[in-house]
Amino acid sequence: MSFVRQEDASTVEDHLNFHQDPYRRGYAQPDGLKLQVSDKRRDVQYPTKEETFRINDETKQLIDKLCTAIAYRLRHPTRTSLEPIYNLYMRLPEPRMLHLEWQWRDRLLRVMGMPPKRDSESMLRYFALIGDVKNAGLTLRRSHWNFALAFATKYTRRATSSEMETALRLWREMERGANVKGNDVTFNVLFDIASKVGNFTLADMIYREMETRGIQYNRYHHVSLIHYFGLKLDSGGIRAAYRDMVEAGEMVDTVVLNCVISGLLRCGEESAAEETYERMKNGHGLTSSIPERNYMMGRVVTKVLMMFTKVGKEYPELQKTLQDNVQLAPNNHTYKLFVDHYATRIGDLSKVAQFLDEMKHLKITIHPTVFLALFKGFYLHGGYTSSEWSEQRLEGVLMALYQAKDEADKRFRIDRWLVIWALRAVKKCSTDEAVVRTFDSLAMRWDIPPDRHVFMHSLLDNVTNGTDMMSPTGNWDGPSYRRFKKDGSRL
């Protein structure tokens, strides 16, 4: 006994019972604060300036800087990023949210809920803010909860059943836990994710629930319904949904027509899709230069179109004039749809060249996703002697990619998937030495974070060794352009 000093007289039985007790010392831990969602004035407008924590001069200066940064972001969304705002917020002492007046809490959640592009990083930032609101005992507005729903479903490029289940859980927590009914935005997000995942039964149920609750359709719902019928390969449904949108007095723009074209191409009606495209060009005086849109500008345009719709419904005599002022010309996404369809599904290089020539003629800046579709086309349809998708043409596409990056620099991003499919295409159409040369050329230009470089080098080894796309965890059956992982995400 003398070798080990004894500190208490407890027995082995006592310690075994302690570890077998899920709550340890015999009592359950408190549930903690529960999430609250409310649009009531008293809940929203807390704390006021008089109700915030007493702070020292250093904290006051931090809050002033944070409020200035938030206000600047609201006025100029494209001139500053969200990361400095979040870093300033994180420097506040705990509990951070109770140091902000209710107006600035609402503005902070609004700017963080509308990033230029929803990805995993911006989602984690936003959910961290939601957690701070909950831990401070404050309430969320319904609009904040809708932002959370949108993040949960749109932080990945292709949604799976996992994102759908998360959205349903958040919706259930909102309606049953907080007793706040979803609005039109809530149901649009749910309908959109159910459609994209392919759970058409759930999408139908959400559609019926909207009708039961008397929720009026807006622009988002009409576009989602067009997309829904496209996923179901129902071209008649696409046309009916488009007709309903027009008859409802909604403004039709390039985004709507792109959705129609996407659905028609998915249904295999290439001639109908091209007919719509020709009308977009010929019917609205296409200019020699089409302005490029970014994510934030797209949101502004959508708000303007919704305002046009409201005015057109109140004053029907103005509707035609308003519609005539809406841009209906093809944009970058229009051409991406056609190039992707003819490159990956059809393998018609002449049609691909036609649309690329028209892009060049109209001086539309090419987007990296167009090159991604081209590389997939070379991978799927190249690699044999008589193929149109030859090694020489692939080399020309790579040179065009390098030139586009060198000229546009940061405005043209070469990300991971573009590099992956470029290497796969070169492997299929050329030699291992060409794969290595392509990798070296892309490595000089890519925008891949340093922590992913090891992965890219391991992928290069897989491609050159012939072990790429041989993972046993994937489902490689079916058409080559529709290969999925077991979780439903597309490769």
Side-chain angles (χ1 to χ4, degrees):
M1 289 286 288
S2 61
F3 287 97
V4 179
R5 180 164 56 91
Q6 302 294 315
E7 295 186 351
D8 56 42
S10 59
T11 65
V12 171
E13 192 70 22
D14 292 336
H15 286 275
L16 287 175
N17 290 335
F18 173 79
H19 288 289
Q20 289 170 357
D21 179 6
Y23 303 118
R24 296 302 185 252
R25 303 186 181 275
Y27 55 87
Q29 296 296 319
D31 287 340
L33 295 168
K34 292 186 178 181
L35 186 65
Q36 302 175 70
V37 182
S38 173
D39 279 327
K40 295 179 181 178
R41 182 174 179 179
R42 178 59 190 140
D43 292 331
V44 170
Q45 298 183 1
Y46 177 85
T48 61
K49 186 174 182 179
E50 293 74 21
E51 293 169 324
T52 53
F53 280 4
R54 292 183 179 179
I55 54 176
N56 55 34
D57 291 339
E58 182 180 356
T59 303
K60 186 177 184 303
Q61 290 178 0
L62 269 177
I63 294 174
D64 290 341
K65 288 182 180 178
L66 175 61
C67 294
T68 302
I70 293 172
Y72 187 79
R73 170 75 184 189
L74 288 172
R75 289 195 304 271
H76 309 288
T78 59
R79 294 186 185 178
T80 181
S81 66
L82 294 176
E83 188 174 355
I85 298 176
Y86 185 73
N87 291 338
L88 280 172
Y89 169 77
M90 292 300 292
R91 289 169 60 186
L92 294 176
E94 296 277 3
R96 300 183 184 91
M97 283 294 173
L98 291 178
H99 289 85
L100 298 176
E101 297 175 39
W102 68 271
Q103 300 99 322
W104 290 109
R105 179 180 78 244
D106 180 69
R107 292 165 187 164
L108 173 64
L109 290 170
R110 193 194 320 164
V111 298
M112 300 303 290
M114 295 189 299
K117 187 176 182 180
R118 288 190 172 95
D119 53 21
S120 57
E121 183 181 357
S122 59
M123 179 190 70
L124 292 174
R125 278 200 303 247
Y126 189 77
F127 278 104
L129 296 178
I130 296 294
D132 284 355
V133 172
K134 175 182 176 181
N135 294 335
L138 301 171
T139 59
L140 288 168
R141 302 182 70 172
R142 185 162 50 185
S143 58
H144 302 152
W145 202 240
N146 285 335
F147 280 139
L149 268 175
F151 271 114
T153 59
K154 298 181 180 179
Y155 73 95
T156 59
R157 185 171 178 266
R158 296 191 180 275
T160 66
S161 56
S162 175
E163 283 75 38
M164 184 184 70
E165 291 169 3
T166 301
L168 292 175
R169 186 167 62 250
L170 289 171
W171 180 39
R172 182 169 56 250
E173 188 174 352
M174 174 183 177
E175 296 215 339
R176 294 185 181 178
N179 292 318
V180 175
K181 296 295 183 182
N183 59 4
D184 56 340
V185 178
T186 310
F187 278 92
N188 180 67
V189 173
L190 295 172
F191 183 85
D192 186 61
I193 183 64
S195 300
K196 289 179 178 177
V197 170
N199 193 332
F200 301 122
T201 303
L202 177 61
D204 288 336
M205 292 172 61
I206 294 170
Y207 177 79
R208 302 303 173 194
E209 183 65 19
M210 288 177 63
E211 289 186 331
T212 302
R213 298 191 184 191
I215 295 176
Q216 296 294 319
Y217 268 37
N218 60 21
R219 171 184 172 81
Y220 293 106
H221 295 102
H222 285 291
V223 175
S224 293
L225 197 57
I226 294 171
H227 184 62
Y228 166 78
F229 284 115
L231 293 173
K232 294 203 74 171
L233 306 181
D234 182 357
S235 59
I238 294 171
R239 293 178 172 89
Y242 174 75
R243 184 170 59 250
D244 282 354
M245 182 174 187
V246 174
E247 291 175 352
E250 294 287 342
M251 294 293 111
V252 175
D253 71 335
T254 304
V255 173
V256 177
L257 295 177
N258 281 345
C259 190
V260 172
I261 288 173
S262 175
L264 292 174
L265 290 174
R266 193 185 297 269
C267 294
E269 296 193 17
E270 289 85 2
S271 59
E274 291 188 34
E275 182 181 347
T276 301
Y277 162 71
E278 291 297 330
R279 289 176 178 175
M280 291 169 69
K281 288 197 306 177
N282 301 330
H284 295 275
L286 194 63
T287 59
S288 60
S289 179
I290 298 174
E292 182 181 354
R293 293 185 188 174
N294 57 32
Y295 292 99
M296 300 306 294
M297 181 59 69
R299 289 173 185 162
V300 172
V301 170
T302 299
K303 290 181 179 179
V304 171
L305 291 174
M306 294 179 76
M307 180 191 69
F308 278 10
T309 298
K310 185 176 180 180
V311 173
K313 288 180 179 179
E314 292 182 5
Y315 304 97
E317 66 275 9
L318 296 178
Q319 184 173 355
K320 186 179 185 304
T321 303
L322 295 172
Q323 178 63 70
D324 290 341
N325 290 318
V326 176
Q327 179 178 332
L328 288 163
N331 62 6
N332 218 316
H333 186 62
T334 312
Y335 289 101
K336 190 264 180 184
L337 290 171
F338 281 108
V339 171
D340 185 57
H341 179 78
Y342 283 111
T344 60
R345 294 193 64 180
I346 308 299
D348 189 341
L349 187 59
S350 62
K351 294 295 290 187
V352 171
Q354 172 193 333
F355 286 106
L356 291 177
D357 285 342
E358 293 189 13
M359 283 187 71
K360 182 178 180 180
H361 175 72
L362 299 173
K363 299 182 180 179
I364 298 178
T365 306
I366 195 166
H367 193 267
T369 53
V370 174
F371 284 102
L372 181 64
L374 289 171
F375 291 137
K376 287 183 179 181
F378 279 99
Y379 174 81
L380 296 169
H381 306 293
Y384 58 93
T385 307
S386 59
S387 173
E388 292 181 320
W389 303 80
S390 63
E391 179 182 357
Q392 292 74 21
R393 288 192 171 111
L394 175 58
E395 186 64 30
V397 171
L398 286 169
M399 295 304 296
L401 173 67
Y402 302 152
Q403 181 180 351
K405 175 61 179 176
D406 294 342
E407 291 178 355
D409 195 20
K410 293 182 180 180
R411 291 173 295 165
F412 187 98
R413 293 183 57 83
I414 298 180
D415 288 321
R416 180 178 54 176
W417 282 110
L418 187 57
V419 176
I420 290 173
W421 281 104
L423 297 179
R424 288 172 177 171
V426 175
K427 171 68 176 179
K428 187 72 175 289
C429 300
S430 189
T431 63
D432 289 343
E433 291 77 12
V435 173
V436 175
R437 288 197 303 270
T438 302
F439 181 86
D440 292 339
S441 298
L442 289 170
M444 296 168 56
R445 299 172 172 88
W446 69 30
D447 300 284
I448 300 174
D451 61 336
R452 303 300 293 169
H453 288 181
V454 174
F455 167 79
M456 298 308 299
H457 282 85
S458 66
L459 179 95
L460 172 64
D461 294 337
N462 288 339
V463 172
T464 54
N465 295 333
T467 56
D468 179 44
M469 300 184 79
M470 300 291 288
S471 170
T473 61
N475 180 14
W476 308 106
D477 298 329
S480 57
Y481 60 85
R482 280 291 184 269
R483 287 170 172 169
F484 293 83
K485 297 180 184 176
K486 286 187 177 179
D487 65 356
S489 59
R490 183 182 169 193
L491 295 175

